[in-house]
Each structure stands twice: as structure tokens, then as C-alpha cells.
Amino acid sequence: MFGILSSFLPLLIKEQNIPLNAGIFYMTTAIASFMIRLPIANISDRYGRGIFISAGLCFYVLAMLVIATVHTRLALIGAGALEGIGSGIVIPSIMTLLSDRTTPKERGFIFGLTWLGFDLGMAACSPIIGTLIVIIGLSGAFAVACGMAILALVIFVTQSSSTLKTSFLFAIGLEKDRYAKTL
């Protein structure tokens, strides 16, 4: 999702003739992201990581859906705020979840592996989605990003714990993290 935003949003803006500098979108995203991070940190300590990861992914779904379907200046700025809220919730929540689920000796490796996966996704995005754009168009690329956000949410809701039931309950904040080592 982030790779599609980084690589193709300026092209979509140009293709749709939207009078918006892509920098305004990214600035809106950054402001929304850092404004949500501090309040979420304390709240997720109280209510658990699952509900915040789920909520953040929902914000991502909405942001990608808006970009894929509505192409006005105001809609893109709103999508930037939605994406910023999503990333401001998801990234710290996942990093905290990883910290909760690992021992201090494992954390460096796990964090490195996580960011390696993020970087590999970014590296693979442009050539893969760039090839698909010929078929699906730029708006279609953001529909793919929306689908990836939905898939991520489904995987998290169904696979974040030992059973479907405990995964679902964890993802909606009604079950403690059974794998947490530091809580």
C-alpha cells in the first residue's frame, strides 16, 4: 500500500488533472500520523494492540478506496488524513505487538526482519504494479491497494492468535494477547 502511494499517487494526480501538489497529500498524511501516535500509545497499553491494528487497517482500506474512486482535491486531502491516521496507528501498534511477543534478545532480529519485509515490499511494488497499470490503470492500482488492506485485515482478524475465535476476539479488543511476553 505504501509503495503504491509513494510510486503512483503523483501520476494519478497528474492523470486526473487534479489541482493538488502531491506534497500536500504527503504533508497531510504526516501531520495526521504524528497527531494520532501519542494518544494511541497510551490507549493501546490499556486496551491491547489488536483493536488498534484492526482499526488502523480499516483507515487504510478507506483511504485507498477514496483514492481509487474519488478524484477531487478535497477527497485526496481527506484520503491523506485517513492514510496518516491508519499508518499512525498500525505501524507503532505492530512494532509494539512485536515487542510484546518477543524477548529482549529476539527483538533486534525481529524488528530488522520486519523492516526488511517492508523494504522488499517497497522495492517490488513499482515494477509489479507498474506492469499491471497497463491493464488496470492508475485508479486500479489503488483498488489493488484497497484489496491488500482488506486482505491484511482478514489475515490479522483470523490469524493473530491460536484459533479463529481467539484471533477474532483479540482483533476486536476482547481477548488479551496470548503470546505477549512482556505484559
Side-chain angles (χ1 to χ4, degrees), residues 88-159:
I89 295 170
V90 169
I91 292 170
S93 295
I94 288 175
M95 297 311 287
T96 306
L97 179 76
L98 292 173
S99 182
D100 291 345
R101 290 182 173 193
T102 57
T103 65
K105 284 185 175 183
E106 298 169 317
R107 285 189 191 126
F109 174 76
I110 295 300
F111 288 168
L113 187 62
T114 300
W115 285 112
L116 173 66
F118 182 83
D119 291 341
L120 286 174
M122 288 288 294
C125 173
S126 292
I128 292 170
I129 299 298
T131 302
L132 285 176
I133 283 176
V134 175
I135 300 165
I136 63 176
L138 286 166
S139 293
F142 289 95
V144 167
C146 181
M148 290 188 321
I150 291 168
L151 180 62
L153 181 61
V154 168
I155 290 170
F156 183 72
V157 167
T158 62
Q159 303 296 310

Coordinates of all heavy atoms in Angstrom, one line a residue, residues 88-159:
G88 N -0.3 5.9 11.4 CA 0.0 6.4 12.7 C -0.5 5.4 13.8 O 0.0 5.4 14.9
I89 N -1.5 4.6 13.5 CA -2.0 3.6 14.4 C -1.3 2.2 14.1 O -0.8 1.6 15.0 CB -3.5 3.4 14.2 CG1 -4.2 4.7 14.7 CG2 -4.0 2.2 15.1 CD1 -5.7 4.7 14.4
V90 N -1.3 1.8 12.8 CA -0.8 0.5 12.5 C 0.7 0.3 12.8 O 1.1 -0.7 13.4 CB -1.1 0.1 11.0 CG1 -0.4 -1.1 10.6 CG2 -2.6 -0.1 10.8
I91 N 1.5 1.2 12.3 CA 3.0 1.0 12.4 C 3.4 0.9 13.9 O 4.1 -0.1 14.3 CB 3.8 2.0 11.6 CG1 3.5 1.8 10.1 CG2 5.3 1.9 11.9 CD1 4.0 2.8 9.2
P92 N 3.1 1.8 14.7 CA 3.5 1.7 16.1 C 2.9 0.5 16.8 O 3.5 -0.1 17.7 CB 3.1 3.0 16.8 CG 2.7 3.9 15.7 CD 2.5 3.1 14.5
S93 N 1.6 0.2 16.5 CA 0.9 -0.9 17.1 C 1.6 -2.2 16.8 O 1.7 -3.1 17.6 CB -0.6 -0.9 16.7 OG -1.2 0.2 17.2
I94 N 2.0 -2.4 15.5 CA 2.6 -3.6 15.1 C 4.0 -3.7 15.7 O 4.4 -4.8 16.2 CB 2.7 -3.7 13.6 CG1 1.3 -4.0 13.0 CG2 3.7 -4.8 13.1 CD1 1.3 -4.0 11.5
M95 N 4.7 -2.6 15.8 CA 6.1 -2.7 16.4 C 5.9 -3.0 17.9 O 6.7 -3.8 18.5 CB 6.8 -1.3 16.2 CG 7.1 -1.0 14.7 SD 7.8 -2.4 13.8 CE 9.5 -2.4 14.4
T96 N 4.9 -2.5 18.6 CA 4.7 -2.8 20.0 C 4.2 -4.2 20.1 O 4.7 -4.9 21.1 CB 3.6 -1.8 20.6 OG1 4.1 -0.4 20.3 CG2 3.5 -2.0 22.0
L97 N 3.4 -4.7 19.3 CA 3.0 -6.1 19.3 C 4.2 -7.0 19.2 O 4.3 -8.0 19.9 CB 2.0 -6.4 18.2 CG 1.5 -7.8 18.1 CD1 0.4 -8.1 19.2 CD2 0.8 -8.1 16.8
L98 N 5.1 -6.7 18.2 CA 6.3 -7.5 18.1 C 7.2 -7.4 19.3 O 7.7 -8.4 19.7 CB 7.1 -7.0 16.9 CG 6.5 -7.2 15.5 CD1 7.3 -6.5 14.4 CD2 6.3 -8.7 15.2
S99 N 7.2 -6.3 19.9 CA 8.0 -6.1 21.2 C 7.3 -7.0 22.3 O 8.0 -7.6 23.0 CB 8.0 -4.7 21.6 OG 8.8 -4.5 22.7
D100 N 6.0 -6.9 22.4 CA 5.3 -7.7 23.4 C 5.5 -9.2 23.2 O 5.6 -9.9 24.2 CB 3.7 -7.5 23.3 CG 3.3 -6.1 23.7 OD1 4.1 -5.4 24.3 OD2 2.1 -5.7 23.3
R101 N 5.6 -9.6 21.9 CA 5.7 -11.0 21.7 C 7.1 -11.6 21.6 O 7.3 -12.8 21.2 CB 5.0 -11.3 20.3 CG 3.5 -11.2 20.5 CD 2.8 -11.5 19.2 NE 1.3 -11.5 19.4 CZ 0.4 -12.0 18.6 NH1 0.9 -12.6 17.4 NH2 -0.9 -12.0 18.8
T102 N 8.1 -10.8 21.8 CA 9.5 -11.3 21.7 C 10.2 -11.0 23.0 O 9.9 -10.1 23.8 CB 10.3 -10.6 20.6 OG1 10.2 -9.2 20.8 CG2 9.7 -10.9 19.2
T103 N 11.3 -11.8 23.2 CA 12.2 -11.5 24.3 C 13.2 -10.4 23.9 O 13.4 -10.1 22.7 CB 13.0 -12.8 24.7 OG1 13.8 -13.1 23.6 CG2 12.1 -13.9 25.1
P104 N 13.8 -9.7 24.9 CA 14.8 -8.7 24.5 C 15.9 -9.2 23.5 O 16.3 -8.4 22.7 CB 15.3 -8.3 25.9 CG 14.2 -8.5 26.8 CD 13.6 -9.8 26.3
K105 N 16.3 -10.4 23.7 CA 17.3 -10.9 22.8 C 16.8 -11.1 21.3 O 17.6 -11.0 20.4 CB 17.8 -12.3 23.3 CG 18.8 -12.2 24.5 CD 19.3 -13.6 24.8 CE 20.3 -13.4 25.9 NZ 20.9 -14.7 26.3
E106 N 15.5 -11.3 21.2 CA 15.0 -11.6 19.8 C 14.6 -10.3 19.1 O 14.5 -10.3 17.9 CB 13.7 -12.4 19.9 CG 13.9 -13.8 20.5 CD 12.5 -14.4 20.9 OE1 11.6 -13.8 21.4 OE2 12.4 -15.6 20.6
R107 N 14.4 -9.2 19.8 CA 13.8 -8.0 19.3 C 14.6 -7.4 18.1 O 14.0 -7.0 17.1 CB 13.6 -7.0 20.4 CG 12.4 -7.4 21.2 CD 12.0 -6.3 22.2 NE 11.0 -6.9 23.1 CZ 11.1 -6.9 24.4 NH1 12.1 -6.3 25.0 NH2 10.2 -7.6 25.1
G108 N 15.8 -7.3 18.2 CA 16.6 -6.7 17.2 C 16.5 -7.4 15.9 O 16.2 -6.8 14.8
F109 N 16.5 -8.7 15.9 CA 16.4 -9.6 14.7 C 15.0 -9.4 14.2 O 14.8 -9.2 13.0 CB 16.7 -11.0 15.1 CG 16.4 -12.0 13.9 CD1 17.3 -12.0 12.8 CD2 15.2 -12.7 13.9 CE1 17.0 -12.8 11.8 CE2 15.0 -13.6 12.8 CZ 15.8 -13.6 11.8
I110 N 14.0 -9.5 15.0 CA 12.6 -9.4 14.6 C 12.3 -8.1 14.0 O 11.6 -8.0 12.9 CB 11.6 -9.8 15.7 CG1 11.8 -11.2 16.2 CG2 10.1 -9.5 15.4 CD1 11.5 -12.3 15.1
F111 N 12.7 -7.0 14.6 CA 12.5 -5.6 14.1 C 13.2 -5.5 12.7 O 12.6 -5.0 11.8 CB 13.0 -4.6 15.0 CG 12.1 -4.4 16.2 CD1 12.6 -3.6 17.3 CD2 10.8 -4.9 16.3 CE1 11.8 -3.4 18.4 CE2 10.1 -4.8 17.5 CZ 10.5 -4.0 18.5
G112 N 14.4 -6.0 12.6 CA 15.2 -5.9 11.4 C 14.5 -6.7 10.3 O 14.3 -6.3 9.1
L113 N 14.0 -7.9 10.6 CA 13.3 -8.7 9.7 C 12.0 -8.1 9.2 O 11.6 -8.1 8.0 CB 12.9 -10.1 10.3 CG 12.3 -11.2 9.4 CD1 13.3 -11.5 8.2 CD2 12.0 -12.4 10.2
T114 N 11.3 -7.4 10.1 CA 10.0 -6.7 9.8 C 10.3 -5.6 8.8 O 9.6 -5.5 7.8 CB 9.4 -6.2 11.1 OG1 9.1 -7.3 11.9 CG2 8.1 -5.4 10.8
W115 N 11.3 -4.8 9.1 CA 11.6 -3.7 8.2 C 12.2 -4.2 6.9 O 12.0 -3.5 5.8 CB 12.5 -2.6 8.9 CG 11.7 -1.8 9.9 CD1 11.9 -1.9 11.2 CD2 10.7 -0.9 9.6 NE1 10.9 -1.0 11.8 CE2 10.2 -0.4 10.8 CE3 10.1 -0.5 8.4 CZ2 9.1 0.5 10.9 CZ3 9.0 0.4 8.5 CH2 8.6 0.9 9.7
L116 N 12.9 -5.3 6.9 CA 13.3 -5.9 5.6 C 12.1 -6.2 4.8 O 12.1 -6.0 3.6 CB 14.2 -7.1 5.9 CG 14.6 -7.9 4.7 CD1 15.6 -7.1 3.8 CD2 15.2 -9.3 5.1
G117 N 11.1 -6.9 5.4 CA 9.9 -7.2 4.6 C 9.2 -5.9 4.1 O 8.8 -5.9 2.9
F118 N 9.2 -4.9 4.9 CA 8.6 -3.6 4.4 C 9.4 -3.1 3.2 O 8.8 -2.7 2.2 CB 8.6 -2.6 5.6 CG 8.0 -1.2 5.2 CD1 6.7 -1.1 5.3 CD2 8.9 -0.2 4.8 CE1 6.1 0.2 5.0 CE2 8.3 1.1 4.5 CZ 6.9 1.2 4.6
D119 N 10.7 -3.1 3.3 CA 11.6 -2.6 2.2 C 11.5 -3.4 1.0 O 11.5 -2.9 -0.1 CB 13.1 -2.5 2.7 CG 13.3 -1.4 3.7 OD1 12.5 -0.5 3.8 OD2 14.3 -1.5 4.4
L120 N 11.4 -4.7 1.1 CA 11.2 -5.6 0.0 C 9.9 -5.4 -0.7 O 9.8 -5.4 -1.9 CB 11.3 -7.1 0.4 CG 12.7 -7.6 0.7 CD1 12.7 -9.0 1.3 CD2 13.6 -7.5 -0.5
G121 N 8.8 -5.1 0.1 CA 7.6 -4.8 -0.5 C 7.6 -3.5 -1.3 O 7.1 -3.4 -2.4
M122 N 8.3 -2.5 -0.8 CA 8.5 -1.2 -1.5 C 9.3 -1.5 -2.8 O 8.9 -0.9 -3.8 CB 9.3 -0.2 -0.6 CG 8.5 0.3 0.6 SD 7.2 1.5 0.0 CE 8.2 2.8 -0.6
A123 N 10.4 -2.3 -2.7 CA 11.2 -2.5 -3.9 C 10.4 -3.2 -5.0 O 10.6 -3.0 -6.2 CB 12.4 -3.3 -3.5
A124 N 9.6 -4.2 -4.6 CA 8.8 -5.0 -5.5 C 7.6 -4.3 -6.1 O 7.2 -4.6 -7.2 CB 8.4 -6.3 -4.9
C125 N 7.1 -3.3 -5.4 CA 5.9 -2.6 -5.7 C 6.0 -2.0 -7.1 O 5.1 -2.2 -8.0 CB 5.5 -1.6 -4.7 SG 4.1 -0.6 -5.2
S126 N 6.9 -1.1 -7.3 CA 7.0 -0.3 -8.5 C 7.0 -1.2 -9.8 O 6.2 -1.0 -10.7 CB 8.1 0.6 -8.5 OG 7.9 1.6 -7.6
P127 N 7.9 -2.2 -9.9 CA 7.9 -3.0 -11.1 C 6.6 -3.9 -11.3 O 6.1 -4.0 -12.4 CB 9.1 -3.8 -11.1 CG 9.6 -3.8 -9.6 CD 9.0 -2.5 -9.0
I128 N 6.1 -4.4 -10.2 CA 5.0 -5.3 -10.3 C 3.7 -4.5 -10.6 O 3.0 -4.8 -11.6 CB 4.8 -6.1 -9.0 CG1 5.9 -7.1 -8.9 CG2 3.4 -6.8 -9.0 CD1 6.0 -7.8 -7.5
I129 N 3.4 -3.5 -9.8 CA 2.2 -2.7 -10.0 C 2.4 -1.8 -11.3 O 1.4 -1.7 -12.0 CB 1.9 -1.8 -8.8 CG1 1.6 -2.7 -7.6 CG2 0.7 -0.9 -9.1 CD1 0.5 -3.6 -7.7
G130 N 3.6 -1.4 -11.6 CA 3.9 -0.6 -12.8 C 3.5 -1.4 -14.0 O 3.0 -0.9 -15.0
T131 N 3.8 -2.7 -14.0 CA 3.4 -3.6 -15.1 C 1.9 -3.8 -15.2 O 1.3 -3.8 -16.3 CB 4.1 -5.0 -15.0 OG1 5.5 -4.8 -14.9 CG2 3.8 -5.9 -16.1
L132 N 1.3 -3.9 -14.0 CA -0.2 -4.1 -14.0 C -1.0 -2.9 -14.4 O -2.1 -3.0 -14.9 CB -0.6 -4.5 -12.6 CG -0.3 -6.0 -12.2 CD1 -0.8 -6.2 -10.7 CD2 -1.1 -6.9 -13.1
I133 N -0.4 -1.7 -14.2 CA -1.1 -0.4 -14.5 C -1.5 -0.4 -16.0 O -2.5 0.2 -16.3 CB -0.2 0.8 -14.1 CG1 -0.4 0.9 -12.6 CG2 -0.7 2.1 -14.8 CD1 0.5 2.0 -12.0
V134 N -0.7 -1.0 -16.8 CA -1.0 -1.0 -18.3 C -2.4 -1.7 -18.5 O -3.2 -1.3 -19.3 CB 0.0 -1.8 -19.1 CG1 -0.3 -2.0 -20.5 CG2 1.4 -1.1 -18.9
I135 N -2.7 -2.6 -17.6 CA -4.0 -3.4 -17.7 C -5.1 -2.7 -16.9 O -6.2 -2.5 -17.3 CB -3.8 -4.8 -17.3 CG1 -2.8 -5.5 -18.2 CG2 -5.1 -5.6 -17.3 CD1 -2.2 -6.8 -17.6
I136 N -4.8 -2.3 -15.6 CA -5.8 -1.9 -14.7 C -5.9 -0.4 -14.5 O -6.8 0.1 -13.9 CB -5.6 -2.6 -13.3 CG1 -4.2 -2.2 -12.7 CG2 -5.7 -4.1 -13.4 CD1 -4.0 -2.7 -11.2
G137 N -4.9 0.3 -15.0 CA -4.9 1.8 -14.8 C -4.4 2.2 -13.5 O -4.3 1.4 -12.5
L138 N -4.2 3.5 -13.3 CA -3.7 4.1 -12.1 C -4.7 3.9 -11.0 O -4.4 3.6 -9.8 CB -3.3 5.5 -12.2 CG -1.9 5.7 -13.0 CD1 -1.8 7.2 -13.4 CD2 -0.8 5.3 -12.1
S139 N -6.0 4.2 -11.3 CA -7.0 4.0 -10.3 C -7.1 2.6 -9.8 O -7.3 2.3 -8.7 CB -8.4 4.5 -10.8 OG -8.4 5.9 -11.0
G140 N -6.9 1.7 -10.8 CA -6.9 0.2 -10.5 C -5.8 -0.1 -9.5 O -6.0 -1.1 -8.7
A141 N -4.7 0.6 -9.6 CA -3.6 0.3 -8.7 C -4.0 0.6 -7.2 O -3.7 -0.2 -6.3 CB -2.3 1.1 -9.0
F142 N -4.8 1.6 -7.1 CA -5.2 2.0 -5.7 C -6.4 1.0 -5.3 O -6.5 0.8 -4.1 CB -5.6 3.4 -5.6 CG -4.4 4.3 -5.7 CD1 -3.9 4.8 -6.8 CD2 -3.6 4.5 -4.5 CE1 -2.8 5.6 -6.9 CE2 -2.5 5.2 -4.5 CZ -2.0 5.8 -5.7
A143 N -7.1 0.5 -6.2 CA -8.1 -0.6 -5.9 C -7.3 -1.8 -5.4 O -7.8 -2.5 -4.5 CB -9.0 -0.9 -7.1
V144 N -6.2 -2.1 -6.1 CA -5.4 -3.2 -5.6 C -4.9 -3.0 -4.2 O -4.9 -3.8 -3.3 CB -4.2 -3.5 -6.5 CG1 -3.1 -4.4 -5.9 CG2 -4.7 -4.0 -7.9
A145 N -4.5 -1.7 -3.9 CA -4.0 -1.4 -2.5 C -5.1 -1.5 -1.5 O -4.9 -2.0 -0.4 CB -3.5 0.1 -2.5
C146 N -6.3 -1.1 -1.9 CA -7.5 -1.3 -1.1 C -7.7 -2.8 -0.8 O -8.0 -3.2 0.4 CB -8.8 -0.7 -1.7 SG -10.3 -0.8 -0.7
G147 N -7.6 -3.6 -1.8 CA -7.7 -5.1 -1.7 C -6.7 -5.6 -0.7 O -6.9 -6.5 0.1
M148 N -5.5 -5.1 -0.9 CA -4.4 -5.6 0.0 C -4.6 -5.2 1.5 O -4.4 -6.0 2.4 CB -3.0 -5.0 -0.4 CG -2.6 -5.6 -1.7 SD -0.9 -5.3 -2.3 CE -0.7 -3.6 -1.9
A149 N -5.2 -4.0 1.7 CA -5.6 -3.6 3.1 C -6.7 -4.5 3.6 O -6.6 -4.9 4.8 CB -6.0 -2.1 3.1
I150 N -7.6 -4.9 2.8 CA -8.7 -5.8 3.2 C -8.1 -7.1 3.5 O -8.4 -7.7 4.6 CB -9.8 -5.9 2.2 CG1 -10.6 -4.5 2.1 CG2 -10.8 -7.0 2.5 CD1 -11.5 -4.4 0.9
L151 N -7.2 -7.6 2.7 CA -6.6 -8.9 2.9 C -5.8 -8.9 4.2 O -5.8 -9.8 5.0 CB -5.7 -9.3 1.7 CG -4.9 -10.6 1.8 CD1 -5.9 -11.8 1.9 CD2 -4.0 -10.8 0.6
A152 N -5.0 -7.8 4.4 CA -4.3 -7.7 5.7 C -5.2 -7.8 6.9 O -4.9 -8.4 7.9 CB -3.5 -6.4 5.7
L153 N -6.3 -7.1 6.8 CA -7.3 -7.1 7.9 C -7.8 -8.5 8.1 O -7.9 -9.0 9.3 CB -8.4 -6.1 7.6 CG -9.5 -5.9 8.7 CD1 -8.9 -5.5 10.0 CD2 -10.6 -5.0 8.3
V154 N -8.2 -9.2 7.1 CA -8.7 -10.5 7.2 C -7.7 -11.5 7.8 O -8.0 -12.2 8.7 CB -9.2 -11.0 5.8 CG1 -9.5 -12.5 5.8 CG2 -10.5 -10.3 5.3
I155 N -6.5 -11.4 7.3 CA -5.4 -12.2 7.9 C -5.2 -11.9 9.3 O -5.1 -12.8 10.2 CB -4.1 -12.1 7.1 CG1 -4.3 -12.7 5.7 CG2 -2.9 -12.7 7.8 CD1 -3.1 -12.4 4.7
F156 N -5.2 -10.7 9.7 CA -5.0 -10.3 11.1 C -6.1 -10.8 12.0 O -5.9 -11.4 13.0 CB -4.8 -8.8 11.3 CG -4.5 -8.4 12.7 CD1 -3.3 -8.7 13.3 CD2 -5.5 -7.8 13.5 CE1 -3.0 -8.4 14.6 CE2 -5.2 -7.5 14.8 CZ -4.0 -7.8 15.4
V157 N -7.4 -10.6 11.5 CA -8.5 -11.0 12.3 C -8.6 -12.5 12.4 O -9.2 -13.0 13.4 CB -9.8 -10.4 11.7 CG1 -11.1 -11.0 12.2 CG2 -9.8 -8.9 11.8
T158 N -8.1 -13.2 11.5 CA -8.3 -14.7 11.5 C -7.0 -15.4 12.0 O -7.1 -16.6 12.3 CB -8.7 -15.2 10.2 OG1 -7.7 -15.0 9.2 CG2 -10.0 -14.7 9.7
Q159 N -5.8 -14.8 11.9 CA -4.6 -15.5 12.2 C -3.7 -14.9 13.3 O -2.6 -15.3 13.4 CB -3.8 -15.5 10.9 CG -4.5 -16.2 9.7 CD -4.8 -17.6 10.0 OE1 -4.0 -18.4 10.3 NE2 -6.1 -18.0 9.8

